[in-house]
């Protein structure tokens, strides 16, 4: 995984230079690498999910909190992000406070596998196929009927999307952005 490789690689580089390696607190299993979702894709994901004011959104592997922040800021929804990397969770919370969204948005430094999926109205995720395969049984067991799930890049294994969108990136070197919407 890119994030894990970066952490190991940067530690080795610092050790070779005689500097102590930084300690990152990551408890649990990484189910994705952090690669920021482009803002137009975030907006499209939330529009496809038909997120409404007051609804509860969970963002699985919330990274820098951009989905959580957009859900609160643009859609006036309650939003909770799960981010296993404590540094990213801290940065997300700082951004949330700076935008004065603390009443609506929060990112917790927790493994997404600890989430109670019976609560949200909408679940958003950008996980690897392996990560999706691990979380899918928990989603199937806990999500209540009517919950919408929107996934970026990779489809949920064994699920049939009710809608699929493809967005072209302005950068010709970036592949198409695929978004999958599911209803439970």
């Amino acid at each position: 995984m890119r994030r894990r490789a970066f952490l190991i690689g940067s530690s080795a580089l610092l050790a070779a230079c005689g500097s102590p390696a930084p300690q990152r607190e990551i408890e649990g299993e990484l189910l994705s690498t952090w690669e920021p979702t482009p803002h137009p894709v975030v907006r499209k994901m939330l529009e496809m999910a038909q997120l409404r004011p007051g609804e509860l959104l969970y963002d699985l592997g919330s990274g820098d909190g951009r989905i959580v922040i957009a859900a609160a800021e643009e859609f006036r929804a309650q939003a909770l992000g799960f981010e296993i990397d404590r540094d990213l969770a801290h940065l997300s919370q700082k951004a949330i406070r700076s935008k004065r969204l603390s009443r609506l948005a929060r990112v917790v430094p927790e493994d997404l596998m600890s989430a109670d999926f019976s609560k949200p109205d909408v679940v958003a995720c950008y996980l690897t196929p392996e990560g999706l395969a691990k979380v899918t049984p928990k989603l199937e067991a806990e999500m209540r009927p009517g919950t919408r799930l929107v996934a970026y890049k990779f489809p949920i294994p064994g699920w049939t999307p009710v809608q699929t969108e493809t967005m072209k990136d302005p950068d010709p070197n970036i592949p198409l952005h695929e978004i999958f919407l599911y209803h439970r």
Side-chain angles (χ1 to χ4, degrees):
M1 291 190 170
R2 184 175 297 155
R3 181 168 25 173
R4 184 173 286 151
F6 170 76
L7 294 175
I8 292 168
S10 63
S11 296
L13 176 64
L14 288 169
C17 295
S19 301
Q23 298 298 312
R24 299 288 297 263
E25 284 190 55
I26 298 176
E27 295 178 21
E29 185 178 0
L30 288 175
L31 299 181
S32 185
T33 58
W34 180 56
E35 187 175 315
T37 304
H39 288 289
V41 174
V42 168
R43 179 137 185 85
K44 181 55 117 176
M45 289 172 72
L46 299 177
E47 287 172 353
M48 283 176 64
Q50 297 180 345
L51 184 62
R52 295 182 288 277
E55 286 191 312
L56 176 60
L57 172 129
Y58 278 8
D59 182 15
L60 310 183
S62 59
D64 64 1
R66 63 183 59 203
I67 292 175
V68 170
I69 290 168
E73 191 171 49
E74 297 178 41
F75 293 81
R76 305 311 294 166
Q78 296 285 325
L80 177 61
F82 293 87
E83 177 50 57
I84 200 166
D85 183 319
R86 292 186 178 281
D87 291 341
L88 280 173
H90 176 74
L91 287 173
S92 299
Q93 276 302 117
K94 190 174 177 180
I96 289 166
R97 283 191 302 275
S98 76
K99 291 179 172 282
R100 301 183 196 271
L101 293 170
S102 297
R103 278 189 328 97
L104 294 174
R106 189 165 57 111
V107 172
V108 294
E110 292 179 19
D111 186 334
L112 63 89
M113 295 300 284
S114 70
D116 175 357
F117 292 117
S118 69
K119 294 181 179 180
D121 301 291
V122 174
V123 175
C125 63
Y126 175 15
L127 302 175
T128 63
E130 298 81 14
L132 288 169
K134 288 183 181 184
V135 75
T136 296
K138 185 170 172 59
L139 292 167
E140 291 173 341
E142 296 179 13
M143 280 176 55
R144 58 190 159 78
T147 304
R148 285 109 57 209
L149 186 146
V150 62
Y152 174 50
K153 282 270 193 217
F154 305 107
I156 306 289
W159 291 22
T160 303
V162 296
Q163 183 181 353
T164 302
E165 290 282 335
T166 303
M167 295 175 67
K168 194 170 187 173
D169 197 277
D171 182 342
N173 296 317
I174 295 178
L176 294 174
H177 301 285
E178 292 183 286
I179 306 168
F180 306 89
L181 176 66
Y182 304 88
H183 288 183
R184 194 73 182 124

